[in-house]
Amino acid sequence: MNAFETKTVSWKLDYPTIDDLRKRARRRIPRFAFDYVDGAAGAAEQNMKTNAAALDAVEIVPRYGVDNFTANLETKIFGRTYSIPVGIAPMGIPSLVLPGGEKEFARAAQDRNIPLVLGSVAGATVEECADLAPENLWFQLYRVAKDELAVNLDMARRAQESGVQVLVLTLDVPARTKRPRELRARLTIPYRHSVQTVSEVLKHPNWLAAYFRHGMNGFANYKPYAGVKPSMADVTAFVRRESGGSFTWDEVKRFRDAWPGALVVKGLLHPADAEMAVSAGADGVIVSNHGGRQLEAAPPAIDALPAVVDAVGVAAKVMFDSGVRSGIDVVRAMALGAAFVFSGRPFMYGLGALGAAGPGFVADFYAEEISAAMRQIGAQTFAETRDLKIRHPGALSF
Ligand SMILES: Cc1cc2nc3c(=O)[nH]c(=O)nc-3n(C[C@H](O)[C@H](O)[C@H](O)COP(=O)(O)O)c2cc1C
């Protein structure tokens, strides 16, 4: 066993759950970074909690007696076969958790053969990440209405020229939301030195070392649009001024006309919105409530999944995120009809807890747990999970 393998064995014992990684991340990264990832909308962060509780409530009745059992975890979507049906959800700024974090995500995605959805507000460009994950990069956009979406459409062009095959439009941020923990921690996006942030950084030498190594390239993708040789302050001002609101269905259609690859609409809970997305030309939708970060009163995303699958599951790929913390959670979503699952915070906790090796460790964690879960329930394929008896007490009907 080499040194890395020995370390991985001991990590598996030390961090058998995502919550163990979360606790280590809390110790290892500055408070503003941890609260950025770990926080959610509302005083009680209710929707983040109900996401987890609703997943816990989904029960699967196992079946036994299969000979020569082998679980097949490979999952094909939009023309590519991934090792497991789990991808890294778009999360704005991994480099807040660890400077250089976007690139660590991209390397892990390529190495473990899972998709990474790079967020447009990331601290690395789509070109840089596509170099590192040439087959596995998807790209997510927030709306920049300026000049009839000229900035967004140019970002999509750059993604296409970099080899990105899947474009994701996020709809569930119609307005900025209040996340109390971010305010208390004095989070500034992108990172800026201040008395509070520097005093936190100085307590976390790994973060500081990564900062010296990688710097901080805030809103890297927006730079070309923010003037000639823009400073970080210019780029930030541009993003604040020009972005916001959620894409309209007509705008989704414009992307359909301009984008030759697969088009995905992220952040829907209502089957009628999923139907609108498909009518506008989307090839897929992600049922999601942004991990409880937007609307505190939203229902758990898993409870909306079956109705969306019923509405558009034949015409489009229905994917899922929000609250997934284990292999059995992935299997629950797949059994309820998801074509693919995304996971957000767990990959950030991995990055914060274990540094560069963290995102790959989390991908391996999912692969092992999904494999074990499939064996426990007696399903060799995800199609077979759909024939099992499932109790889903919170399932919404519309
Ligand atoms: C720190 C953080 C930043 C996020 N930034 C974005 C983003 O830029 N674009 C987006 O579409 N979703 C964003 N999300 C939402 C995720 O894509 C995803 O929906 C959510 O994290 C899923 O819930 P989970 O964290 O419980 O897995 C973000 C989530 C987190 C935790």
Side-chain angles (χ1 to χ4, degrees), residues 36-37 89-93 119 121 140 142 170 172 266 288-291 293 321-325 342-346 348:
Y36 165 61
V37 173
M91 285 175 292
I93 316 182
V121 294
Q140 174 265 332
Y142 279 133
T170 298
D172 62 2
K266 171 173 184 279
S288 165
N289 55 30
H290 219 98
R293 294 168 73 81
D321 79 28
S322 294
V324 171
R325 296 291 179 272
F342 286 90
S343 175
R345 294 182 184 87
M348 290 286 227

Side-chain angles (χ1 to χ4, degrees), residues 18-142:
I18 295 298
D19 197 49
D20 294 300
L21 286 175
R22 174 180 171 274
K23 287 182 180 134
R24 179 166 160 98
R26 185 163 55 193
R27 292 195 299 276
R28 297 239 320 167
I29 64 177
R31 177 177 165 195
F32 59 81
F34 183 76
D35 283 343
Y36 165 61
V37 173
D38 200 57
E45 301 185 328
Q46 185 64 10
N47 189 214
M48 179 167 67
K49 294 175 187 157
T50 58
N51 277 337
L55 273 160
D56 282 345
V58 175
E59 296 167 347
I60 303 173
V61 183
R63 299 297 305 273
Y64 303 109
V66 178
D67 204 10
N68 291 327
F69 187 100
T70 40
N72 179 10
L73 307 190
E74 287 191 340
T75 305
K76 188 168 179 187
I77 191 160
F78 304 133
R80 181 159 173 83
T81 302
Y82 298 98
S83 323
I84 52 172
V86 181
I88 307 177
M91 285 175 292
I93 316 182
S95 45
L96 261 183
V97 169
L98 193 69
E102 290 79 0
K103 292 184 183 170
E104 305 306 354
F105 277 178
R107 287 191 188 97
Q110 188 68 18
D111 189 57
R112 302 311 204 272
N113 189 27
I114 60 171
L116 160 65
V117 191
L118 182 73
S120 51
V121 294
T125 61
V126 64
E127 290 86 357
E128 289 170 314
C129 292
D131 272 353
L132 297 169
E135 278 121 13
N136 292 8
L137 194 69
W138 300 16
F139 191 48
Q140 174 265 332
L141 292 179
Y142 279 133

Side-chain angles (χ1 to χ4, degrees), residues 3 5-6 10-11 23 34 45 51 57 111 116 119 138 141 144-145 168 255 267-268 292 359 371-372 374 389:
E5 285 163 346
T6 313
S10 102
W11 282 346
K23 287 182 180 134
F34 183 76
E45 301 185 328
N51 277 337
D111 189 57
L116 160 65
W138 300 16
L141 292 179
V144 183
V168 178
F255 283 97
L268 303 175
S371 181
M374 298 289 274
K389 177 71 188 165

Side-chain angles (χ1 to χ4, degrees), residues 200-257:
E200 273 297 302
V201 165
L202 292 175
K203 287 187 246 165
H204 298 91
N206 329 299
W207 197 97
L208 188 60
Y211 180 79
F212 283 132
R213 204 160 51 247
H214 298 280
M216 190 64 77
N217 193 5
F219 297 131
N221 287 297
Y222 290 76
K223 262 196 191 145
Y225 317 108
V228 182
K229 292 212 173 147
S231 65
M232 182 100 113
D234 295 334
V235 182
T236 305
F238 174 84
V239 174
R240 297 241 175 287
R241 193 173 61 242
E242 303 296 349
S243 57
S246 105
F247 294 105
T248 65
W249 299 121
D250 277 343
E251 288 172 343
V252 174
K253 278 189 199 134
R254 294 203 49 207
F255 283 97
R256 176 67 297 166
D257 295 340

Side-chain angles (χ1 to χ4, degrees), residues 295-334:
L295 171 66
E296 193 185 12
I302 195 71
D303 290 350
L305 176 65
V308 175
V309 171
D310 280 351
V312 301
V314 174
K317 297 287 181 194
V318 178
M319 295 161 275
F320 168 77
D321 79 28
S322 294
V324 171
R325 296 291 179 272
S326 63
I328 195 69
D329 282 348
V330 173
V331 171
R332 284 169 164 138
M334 297 300 279

